[in-house]
Amino acid sequence: MMLRSAARVGRVAMTAARASAPTVRLMATRASGPSNAARTSAAVPFALVSAGVIGFAAVSMDNKVDYDAVRQRVIDIFDEDQSRGPLFVRLAWHAAGTYCKHSKTGGSCGATMRYAPESGHGANAGLGLARSLLEPVKQEFPGISYADLWVLAAVTVIEEMGGPSIKFRAGRTDAPSSASCPPDGRLPDAAQGASHVRDIFYRMGFNDREIVALCGAHALGECHTDRSGFSGPWTRAPTTFSNEFFREMLETQWTPKKWSGPDQYEDPTGELMMLPTDLALRDDPKFREYVELYARDEDAFFDDFARAFRRLVELGVDFPKPTGRRRYLLFGPRDN
């Protein structure tokens, strides 16, 4: 437990150090596969580079949006209350997680959660707050679509909370009406088991490794009874992106919570929780292989999560075809 606490403090300290580090302007290229520590300490606020870049990147097809300024506004909102970070991640995840590879519907493009009935789907309870917090940013930068803004906010706060840099590609459009809202039931039901988890993620085209990596986002935030009906955080550092979700899953004894709410599990202190879908990852032999990998190797988790999350938020998006030289906007640690 002392080692785990030290590791957690180290990640928080690293995030604080990154936040106070001065930034420099430089050209970035990918060479021999930097470690996660090297990636998170690199300071690259802007560059025009080839497709093999490292760091936080936005691919822009025009000059109308200052993505660096948008990102800074998101950071300002996050700094006011860091519990908003997990909320922004959930917004982008739930917008993108409706994609169906068979019908080619749903996904992050369209930002259809602005409309009923999707805004009222049970899985999206509480996300009106996230949308309202980002609304002033949209008004300040009208050239960015809601769909791009939600994704950009998520990848920004993931990095701010100590997580991996995730390349952001602009070009999503907004749906003009509710006509393209996906049907209810496309997001995971936390009360279900491994078969349900696979049904949901296979529908989007993910494999078992990607499923477990994406579920690692439960390192962030907590459940609220007035939203999901469940209650409590998964880890003791809910605004720090880490592999603690997997470590807690394997190293902690989980027992059914005795209460009047839906079935969930608690640790011996009663302070932490796990959902039925979470423990399904532990108990399913194929899923468990990757749970064990990520519990012992945080770099592997960060790498896999970054790739899977980028794929998630790009599902079904018909990005504009580049004309001329493609621009990559790279953001590194911020100035204070």
Side-chain angles (χ1 to χ4, degrees):
M1 289 300 293
M2 291 179 63
L3 290 175
R4 294 172 62 190
S5 297
R8 186 181 299 115
V9 170
R11 280 191 294 272
V12 175
M14 179 190 72
T15 304
R18 288 173 52 240
S20 61
T23 58
V24 296
R25 295 185 180 274
L26 52 83
M27 297 296 289
T29 57
R30 187 174 189 118
S32 58
S35 68
N36 183 66
R39 287 198 307 271
T40 54
S41 63
V44 192
F46 178 83
L48 301 178
V49 295
S50 65
V53 297
I54 63 174
F56 181 97
V59 183
S60 175
M61 300 301 175
D62 57 51
N63 299 313
K64 296 179 181 179
V65 180
D66 184 344
Y67 291 99
D68 196 6
V70 174
R71 177 177 181 267
Q72 185 57 54
R73 286 291 292 113
V74 171
I75 291 172
D76 292 342
I77 295 169
F78 167 73
D79 281 345
E80 292 172 0
D81 181 350
Q82 293 195 357
S83 69
R84 295 168 176 175
L87 193 63
F88 291 160
V89 176
R90 181 169 168 247
L91 174 64
W93 209 117
H94 281 216
T98 60
Y99 183 70
C100 176
K101 68 180 182 180
H102 306 293
S103 63
K104 310 297 184 186
T105 57
S108 66
C109 200
T112 52
M113 202 191 300
R114 293 172 294 140
Y115 305 114
E118 187 178 356
S119 61
H121 290 172
N124 295 330
L127 290 177
L129 174 59
R131 298 192 299 273
S132 65
L133 286 168
L134 293 174
E135 184 61 30
V137 185
K138 170 62 175 174
Q139 298 307 312
E140 184 177 351
F141 302 95
I144 191 171
S145 66
Y146 283 103
D148 274 347
L149 175 59
W150 295 354
V151 172
L152 179 53
V155 298
T156 295
V157 296
I158 286 171
E159 187 169 2
E160 286 297 304
M161 292 185 286
S165 298
I166 301 173
K167 186 181 293 185
F168 166 79
R169 186 178 182 186
R172 296 165 187 80
T173 57
D174 292 333
S177 72
S178 62
S180 53
C181 282
D184 197 1
R186 287 193 177 181
L187 293 170
D189 178 352
Q192 303 297 318
S195 177
H196 168 78
V197 172
R198 284 193 173 92
D199 288 344
I200 293 293
F201 283 89
Y202 284 5
R203 188 204 67 229
M204 291 186 276
F206 290 109
N207 61 35
D208 285 358
R209 183 168 185 150
E210 292 168 319
I211 291 171
V212 178
L214 287 170
C215 289
H218 279 177
L220 301 173
E222 61 183 287
C223 289
H224 302 269
T225 55
D226 62 339
R227 298 175 188 177
S228 64
F230 300 98
S231 178
W234 290 269
T235 76
R236 300 188 188 281
T239 58
T240 298
F241 194 96
S242 70
N243 67 341
E244 282 297 289
F245 170 67
F246 299 111
R247 295 178 64 123
E248 292 284 5
M249 184 184 298
L250 294 179
E251 298 175 14
T252 300
Q253 180 180 359
W254 298 99
T255 57
K257 181 179 178 68
K258 296 179 180 179
W259 72 321
S260 60
D263 290 345
Q264 66 176 69
Y265 298 84
E266 62 182 2
D267 76 326
T269 70
E271 296 172 354
L272 301 182
M273 59 85 68
M274 286 278 165
L275 301 169
T277 47
D278 297 325
L279 294 188
L281 304 179
R282 181 197 65 182
D283 298 338
D284 180 272
K286 292 182 179 178
F287 283 150
R288 187 184 178 97
E289 174 185 350
Y290 303 112
V291 171
E292 292 177 348
L293 169 64
Y294 298 147
R296 68 175 180 265
D297 189 341
E298 189 173 71
D299 284 348
F301 168 50
F302 275 33
D303 288 342
D304 285 357
F305 181 86
R307 282 191 293 269
F309 193 80
R310 182 187 175 192
R311 184 171 171 230
L312 171 69
V313 297
E314 292 188 356
L315 289 172
V317 182
D318 185 16
F319 288 105
K321 299 298 185 293
T323 57
R325 190 175 185 180
R326 179 177 291 184
R327 298 173 59 241
Y328 288 83
L329 309 183
L330 295 180
F331 307 99
R334 53 181 164 134
D335 291 320
N336 276 352

